[in-house]
Amino acid sequence: MPKFVTSQNIEIELELASLGERILAFLLDGIIMFFLIIGMSIVVGGTNAGSWTFLFFYIPLMFYSLAFEYLGNGQSPGKRAMNIKVVKLDGSTPDLGSYILRWLFRLIDIYIMYGGVSIISIILTQNGQRLGDIVAGTTVIKIREVGAAQAFRTKATNDHVVQFPAVKMLNDDQIELMKKALKMRRDGFNKEGVEQLAAKLKEKMKVDTDLPDVKFLYAVISDYEFIANQEF
């Protein structure tokens, strides 16, 4: 399973979506778009409207994947059906700019060469990235119904530097709770819960940091496991 290293020197293991899963997700989205086009044709055809009306209805379909992935936390309907999603290489949620880059490169990745460039790139790259993913710094992962410990196997790299020594006051149950909260956040749920948990931890540990909440929790887990391994 590939390991991705965050900016805090934390290794995260994420299970990549298979090529077959990505192709099936693409085909499912294509089927949905096909029926949308049929439905629009029936509606617009019945109004005796001009050709500009067809463009008014059809142009938004060009933004199908971009809109659904951005609004759906990395999942189009096809990806949701296949339990896969787009993430940044550090496991975080992509920003709008990243989604736009992936969408723009679909022309090269998928349509010009009938998906050949995309397939070759996904097979040959270590992190299963098509060209759009490489440019955007993203990949597509599986979403599994597994325990938090399995979903977030993190460990500090050899040159890890402890940022928060106060993690010594925490225990295994609290670390497990963090992993569960992060897994739910990765799957598109419990954003507020992560924010509340991070705030309580900062108060308990008496730390002041500018790290975003998700990265802060990753750093705490990594520090805790690094210190635990050193003591062991």
Side-chain angles (χ1 to χ4, degrees):
M1 188 179 298
K3 294 181 174 64
F4 305 97
V5 182
T6 73
S7 58
Q8 282 73 47
N9 284 331
I10 304 168
E11 285 187 357
I12 309 170
E13 292 185 352
L14 301 176
E15 186 175 2
L16 296 175
S18 69
L19 177 60
E21 288 169 328
R22 295 179 68 162
I23 290 175
L24 283 174
F26 175 79
L27 293 176
L28 287 172
D29 284 327
I31 291 171
I32 292 172
M33 292 179 66
F34 172 77
F35 282 106
L36 285 174
I37 291 173
I38 295 299
M40 289 178 183
S41 299
I42 294 173
V43 171
V44 176
T47 63
N48 295 319
S51 59
W52 65 269
T53 307
F54 283 87
L55 292 177
F56 177 79
F57 278 99
Y58 293 152
I59 286 178
L61 285 178
M62 295 172 55
F63 301 93
Y64 173 94
S65 62
L66 173 61
F68 273 112
E69 287 181 1
Y70 178 64
L71 298 175
N73 193 40
Q75 291 184 297
S76 63
K79 286 185 174 66
R80 187 173 296 278
M82 296 305 300
N83 287 321
I84 61 177
K85 68 179 293 186
V86 179
V87 296
K88 297 288 283 185
L89 290 180
D90 63 0
S92 62
T93 300
D95 57 17
L96 178 59
S98 298
Y99 286 122
I100 290 175
L101 284 173
R102 292 187 83 253
W103 174 74
L104 288 173
F105 270 78
R106 289 173 70 89
L107 180 63
I108 300 173
D109 275 338
I110 299 172
Y111 299 117
I112 290 181
M113 298 296 293
Y114 303 100
V117 172
S118 178
I119 291 172
I120 292 172
S121 180
I122 291 171
I123 292 173
L124 295 182
T125 55
Q126 179 182 0
N127 297 325
Q129 296 171 288
R130 63 177 177 86
L131 295 183
D133 286 316
I134 294 172
V135 173
T138 59
T139 189
V140 180
I141 64 169
K142 295 181 182 181
I143 300 176
R144 295 291 193 187
E145 293 298 326
V146 298
Q150 290 177 287
F152 281 89
R153 291 191 287 272
T154 64
K155 66 177 182 178
T157 55
N158 293 331
D159 58 348
H160 177 76
V161 176
V162 174
Q163 298 183 75
F164 305 109
V167 296
K168 292 181 179 180
M169 68 174 62
L170 304 178
N171 57 47
D172 291 345
D173 290 339
Q174 291 168 325
I175 296 297
E176 184 69 14
L177 177 62
M178 287 182 231
K179 291 181 178 180
K180 288 179 179 178
L182 285 169
K183 179 187 181 298
M184 292 181 66
R185 177 69 181 88
R186 189 195 72 182
D187 291 347
F189 307 101
N190 200 37
K191 180 179 179 181
E192 295 77 10
V194 167
E195 294 172 351
Q196 294 171 5
L197 180 57
K200 290 180 180 179
L201 276 173
K202 291 174 184 177
E203 181 180 357
K204 177 181 177 66
M205 296 165 56
K206 293 182 172 57
V207 298
D208 184 18
T209 177
D210 293 329
L211 285 176
D213 292 333
V214 171
K215 292 184 177 180
F216 169 67
L217 293 181
Y218 275 130
V220 168
I221 294 170
S222 182
D223 284 351
Y224 181 88
E225 294 182 346
F226 179 79
I227 291 174
N229 289 333
Q230 292 294 105
E231 292 178 348
F232 180 78

